[in-house]
Amino acid sequence: MTYQRLDIRLPSPAPGVQLTVLAHQFGNRSNARSAYLHAGLHADEHPGLLVLQHLLEQLRQLDAAGAIDGLVTVVPYANPIGMSQRLFGAVVGRFDFENGENFNRNFPLLDKMVAAYLAKAPDPARSPNQWRSVFSKMLDEATAIGPSQALKLELAKLSMEHDIVLDLHCDTDCIAHVYASELQVERATLLANLLGAPVVMLEPRQAGGGAFDQVHSSAWGTVQAAGLLSERDSGFSATVELRGQADVSDELAAADASSLLRFLESEGVLTAEAARTQRSPGEPTFAFPLEGASHVPCPCAGVIVYRKAPGDQVSVGEVIAEVVRLDGDEFNQRVPILSTVDGVMIVRQLKRLVRPGERAALLAGKRPVRDGQAGSLLLDF
Ligand SMILES: [Zn+2]
């Protein structure tokens, strides 16, 4: 057995309160690849929390069987601050009560530091292990005082010790999908396909936002784009959207945990044969550019009724939903919402009382849409 547990203490937010990030580690540092997974960075997204409990059980069995070749680190809840934020009973875990900041934004990005290193270093790092050390040293220079800043820095530092980094999320009501760098199409598509996710959203290097997966893609992507590492030798990070907020069940979680193990097996981190429960082959996975993501707003206040479900094909001008006005002159008056892309519906709202400007749906199309601006491709809300 190689198991060890880490308890990372964060600055106390108030007298008498101690915040701790917990990490479980299996295996050892070796020449095999290492992997890091966490869930619940948005603390109101719970499918990943259950998936990781199933994964931990399977990892313990694999560890006992000597089947873990590299190092696997699992942080079962990434955001103790957000999990403790309750407002009249509801967990408000996407935004920090301290300053309104999205918990999955403003992570430290390393592209500029890596570019400066490349410009100066006469003999730059060569192997993935050496590059990881370079990136880790850059993060070591960063400082954080407040609990949320410290949380982000600790997650960035711990995950940077690994080659494969997976951040488990979900959306309101949606199909499974994966966000990853456009420089990592092959691995992102394999990961999505193993999870039964029909869609991959490919992020350009200048997507902006500072999401957690970009800590890694900003660093590895700069090295890869400079021609110093191949797609396969670079580290890989992805944000995995495990369907909708209500999609929490043992059946889904056990299947997702097995799918993640199979992905880690494909990366040479472990041998998952013994723990494998085969997911029935899903639909093919299609990749879409993040510039083709369209966040369609609600036109007015009322009750939204959907004509399309997540996973449905949509075409430009097609009615995807209607908002029923409750205060109009006519009874049961409908205002249609039209598709802005030829593509697929990814996400829709779970709660059906909407207001103007609220996102009615996230659609993915192949062609860039007008609202897809470089540097601000990720919606904060
Ligand atoms: Zn999320």
Side-chain angles (χ1 to χ4, degrees), residues 42 45 94 169-170 241:
H42 284 144
E45 300 174 2
R94 187 175 182 82
H169 286 250
C170 74
E241 301 281 349

Side-chain angles (χ1 to χ4, degrees), residues 39-122:
L41 181 56
H42 284 144
D44 52 353
E45 300 174 2
H46 305 147
L49 302 177
L50 185 62
V51 169
L52 289 186
Q53 290 304 308
H54 282 266
L55 187 79
L56 284 165
E57 262 192 318
Q58 297 199 41
L59 285 170
R60 186 165 54 192
Q61 289 169 16
L62 291 168
D63 188 28
I68 300 179
D69 301 316
L71 180 72
V72 183
T73 299
V74 175
V75 172
Y77 55 90
N79 187 356
I81 300 168
M83 286 175 94
S84 65
Q85 291 187 165
R86 282 183 180 259
L87 190 66
F88 307 127
V91 178
V92 186
R94 187 175 182 82
F95 301 99
D96 191 344
F97 275 177
E98 182 70 27
N99 55 12
E101 190 171 282
N102 186 322
F103 279 114
N104 192 23
R105 295 291 183 274
N106 300 329
F107 275 86
L109 301 186
L110 299 183
D111 47 345
K112 290 192 178 71
M113 289 174 90
V114 174
Y117 167 88
L118 285 173
K120 270 195 232 153

Side-chain angles (χ1 to χ4, degrees), residues 223-281:
V223 177
Q224 196 186 327
L228 296 171
L229 282 177
S230 68
E231 181 175 341
R232 189 69 200 161
D233 286 337
S234 284
F236 171 73
S237 62
T239 297
V240 180
E241 301 281 349
L242 293 169
R243 307 173 199 85
Q245 282 175 312
D247 295 321
V248 180
S249 73
D250 277 327
E251 290 72 23
L252 280 173
D256 287 340
S258 290
S259 297
L260 292 171
L261 286 176
R262 289 175 62 204
F263 180 70
L264 299 189
E265 185 176 37
S266 76
E267 291 287 340
V269 179
L270 46 78
T271 310
E273 202 76 45
R276 190 182 289 176
T277 49
Q278 198 80 24
R279 181 170 232 145
S280 51

Side-chain angles (χ1 to χ4, degrees), residues 2 10 17 99 151 217 234 244 254 297 305 380:
T2 61
L10 301 177
V17 179
N99 55 12
L151 172 70
S217 59
S234 284
V305 181
D380 265 354

Side-chain angles (χ1 to χ4, degrees), residues 42 44-45 91-97 99-106 169-172 177 179 209 211 241 245 294-298 347-351 353-362 376-381:
H42 284 144
D44 52 353
E45 300 174 2
V91 178
V92 186
R94 187 175 182 82
F95 301 99
D96 191 344
F97 275 177
N99 55 12
E101 190 171 282
N102 186 322
F103 279 114
N104 192 23
R105 295 291 183 274
N106 300 329
H169 286 250
C170 74
D171 212 308
T172 47
H177 57 293
Y179 290 88
E241 301 281 349
Q245 282 175 312
S294 178
H295 299 275
V296 185
C298 294
V347 179
R348 66 182 181 181
Q349 285 295 346
L350 188 58
K351 299 207 171 109
L353 181 66
V354 296
R355 61 181 184 174
E358 186 172 353
R359 181 180 68 168
L362 167 61
S376 57
L377 287 174
L378 295 178
L379 205 64
D380 265 354
F381 209 80

